[in-house]
Amino acid sequence: MDILIESTATFEQDLRRLSQDRKDKIISEINDLVGLILDSDFNDFHELYCIPNILDLGEYNSSLYVLRVSGELEIVLAIDEDPIFNQTILSLFRLTDPIKITEVYQEIAAHLYQDLIR
């Protein structure tokens, strides 16, 4: 299975604001996650979590996660399986401070799941 990594312009802007050392560390941590996804062990990755009870999607499950990176930052991302092309898509939406994570997560979830929200 292949991994396709996509990032939004907003994520790229967030990343550009950091020093090169911090960027390198964050990219390394994303690569660690990719390795775990390839091994199907990403649910055991302690730095990866969902924020519960943000939206009621009914019978559907969200593929939106938060990844703790670089000690004081977090990435809002989605992990989606694409069985037609035999790949997993890792979509990087935002890189933010943990204080703002619930608000940012909620905004992204509302945008992604606007047709499913009850």
Side-chain angles (χ1 to χ4, degrees):
M1 175 165 300
D2 292 328
I3 302 280
L4 173 64
I5 301 174
E6 299 178 334
S7 60
T8 63
T10 309
F11 176 83
E12 295 294 330
Q13 286 176 333
D14 295 339
L15 195 59
R16 274 195 295 274
R17 293 182 184 130
L18 303 176
S19 70
Q20 189 60 48
D21 286 344
R22 289 179 80 193
K23 286 180 198 176
D24 292 343
K25 183 165 176 45
I26 289 168
I27 291 167
S28 175
E29 292 183 45
I30 292 169
N31 287 333
D32 290 346
L33 175 61
V34 167
L36 289 170
I37 292 170
L38 288 170
D39 293 337
S40 299
D41 289 336
F42 71 91
N43 287 324
D44 295 330
F45 197 44
H46 297 292
E47 285 76 22
L48 187 68
Y49 67 95
C50 292
I51 298 179
N53 305 320
I54 291 293
L55 299 172
D56 179 7
L57 301 178
E59 66 216 49
Y60 297 99
N61 293 322
S62 174
S63 62
L64 203 57
Y65 295 91
V66 175
L67 175 65
R68 289 185 199 101
V69 293
S70 187
E72 67 281 344
L73 293 171
E74 296 183 324
I75 299 173
V76 178
L77 57 89
I79 302 172
D80 296 293
E81 299 291 326
D82 183 349
I84 294 173
F85 293 103
N86 192 32
Q87 65 183 2
T88 299
I89 302 167
L90 179 64
S91 303
L92 307 171
F93 294 107
R94 288 294 311 270
L95 176 66
T96 190
D97 186 290
I99 294 170
K100 299 176 186 174
I101 196 65
T102 301
E103 176 185 336
V104 170
Y105 185 98
Q106 200 164 22
E107 288 172 7
I108 293 168
H111 177 73
L112 288 177
Y113 304 118
Q114 61 189 337
D115 293 337
L116 298 174
I117 297 172
R118 296 177 171 222

